[in-house]
Amino acid sequence: MQLCFAPMDGITNCATRLITKKIFERYKNQNDTLQLRTEFMNADGFIINPSKVTRHILTTPEQLPIAQIYWGNEATLLQTAQILVEKYAEQFSGIELNTWCPSNTVMKCGGGSDMLRHREKTITIIQNLSKIVKENSDLSFSVKSRAGLHEEDKPKQLDFLKSIAPSCDLISIHGRTLKQLYTGDADFWFIHQVKQALPCKVIANWGITSYQMAQEVLDQWKFDGIMIGQGAIGNPRIFTQHLPSLSEKLETMQEHLLMMIACDLRFEEWWEKVDNYALNQPTLEDLEKLKKLIDFSKEYRSVVEFRKYLFQYIKGIPDTRERKQKVIPIKTVGELFSAFEELTSHG
């Protein structure tokens, strides 16, 4: 079964992908594969001030994720793809354009689902991006999209997907419309129509909450793969059938947090020494060394950012609400580790 970790802004960072891949490799079924994607990176930001955004596509040699980018300006989008292909092709397995994100911030700059409001222009952009990628590298080119702007728009969306398919190696479809955002049922029938009509691979994305559910959807609909997003936050074992014990969850939480801090430290170190477009990959050995240097009494940005994972890791543990309140003010690694211990010891 082809499984895909969906790109999520502020979620699918380098550390999270590393933890997810590590667990997948340990517990995967023999015939399963896991395809990783980076967070999505703004093309304008990459060209104008890359030091602020390249952490979104920071990776390590073990991952080979698909680098996802979104539009801020057509020229910078094409330029970003050109730079990634020419300088960093060995760090990724593909480049993907985001035409699905419903975030107002992303759509205001013309990216994400806003590209579906200007489909003729978007088709040309996709053709040009595909040409840059395929003529200059062995990377795949793909597009992530959704079921349309609203219910009545689905026929137009299907026509759009048919138009871009010859330029794509795969297309992943979030089964809801822009109007639905993240609520309501996914339209697997629409994705099935896409699968029947397109020559490229089609990946289905929507509300998968377990490995078993992913398998059932694939068995029924025969898509080329399943993409999991929200269900994987604080639950990296969702890509396997393994059910973790509380002690395993504790170990994973600790490892995840330390790896997030190590990745941040490595990234900050680069920008003191290198030019704008540096994407020098840290090795696992580099990150392990940095983890040993972490000061447990110091406040790190990653400690605060880790809450969004922590609250999912502890989901289902008794008295979770009360315990969340105790975690919110914590800003040091040592205090958070103590909170981990308390949370899991009462579960």
Side-chain angles (χ1 to χ4, degrees), residues 2 17 40 44 50 71 74 82-83 106 113 130 132 186 247 258 280 295 297 303 306 337:
Q2 173 68 72
R17 296 195 309 270
F40 34 98
D44 275 357
W71 185 37
E74 181 178 355
Q82 189 74 47
I83 292 170
V106 172
S113 291
S130 177
I132 288 172
S247 62
L258 292 179
N280 309 69
D295 183 348
S297 65
V303 174
F306 191 74
F337 268 36

Side-chain angles (χ1 to χ4, degrees), residues 254-292:
Q254 292 173 333
E255 174 75 7
H256 193 167
L257 174 58
L258 292 179
M259 191 63 78
M260 280 180 64
I261 297 173
C263 286
D264 274 353
L265 292 175
R266 186 72 167 99
F267 184 82
E268 290 163 7
E269 180 184 43
W270 287 341
W271 286 102
E272 295 176 359
K273 302 177 181 178
V274 295
D275 295 330
N276 275 350
Y277 296 122
L279 287 172
N280 309 69
Q281 292 177 298
T283 64
L284 284 179
E285 184 179 357
D286 293 333
L287 296 173
E288 290 296 332
K289 288 178 181 177
L290 282 171
K291 280 164 56 178
K292 294 176 182 178

Side-chain angles (χ1 to χ4, degrees), residues 127-261:
Q127 291 171 340
N128 290 336
L129 280 172
S130 177
K131 186 176 181 180
I132 288 172
V133 174
K134 292 179 179 298
E135 290 186 357
N136 297 282
S137 74
D138 293 325
L139 298 175
S140 67
F141 177 73
S142 54
V143 171
K144 190 171 194 300
S145 198
R146 56 171 58 242
L149 298 173
H150 44 74
E151 187 66 30
E152 294 75 20
D153 183 59
K154 287 181 178 179
K156 291 183 179 179
Q157 177 67 354
L158 181 57
D159 289 340
F160 165 72
L161 295 171
K162 289 178 182 177
S163 296
I164 66 172
S167 300
C168 299
D169 295 296
L170 69 88
I171 294 175
S172 56
I173 307 292
H174 182 94
R176 297 187 184 98
T177 65
L178 174 60
K179 185 176 181 179
Q180 285 179 284
L181 297 177
Y182 297 104
T183 62
D185 293 333
D187 189 346
F188 283 127
W189 175 249
F190 175 80
I191 306 177
H192 174 73
Q193 289 179 289
V194 173
K195 168 63 181 169
Q196 295 301 307
L198 269 53
C200 64
K201 292 182 178 180
V202 174
I203 306 295
N205 177 210
W206 164 80
I208 300 295
T209 57
S210 69
Y211 179 92
Q212 290 71 24
M213 183 178 178
Q215 185 66 70
E216 289 169 4
V217 170
L218 277 187
D219 288 345
Q220 179 178 356
W221 294 99
K222 311 301 180 186
F223 302 130
D224 294 299
I226 286 290
M227 182 174 284
I228 303 177
Q230 298 287 330
I233 302 174
N235 184 24
R237 290 175 178 81
I238 195 171
F239 298 102
T240 74
Q241 292 179 302
H242 179 68
L243 298 177
S245 64
L246 283 176
S247 62
E248 286 179 295
K249 283 190 175 184
L250 173 60
E251 180 183 350
T252 302
M253 287 189 287
Q254 292 173 333
E255 174 75 7
H256 193 167
L257 174 58
L258 292 179
M259 191 63 78
M260 280 180 64
I261 297 173

Side-chain angles (χ1 to χ4, degrees), residues 51 88 161 251 282 315 321 337:
S51 65
Y88 311 109
L161 295 171
E251 180 183 350
K315 202 170 183 178
R321 183 175 179 182
F337 268 36

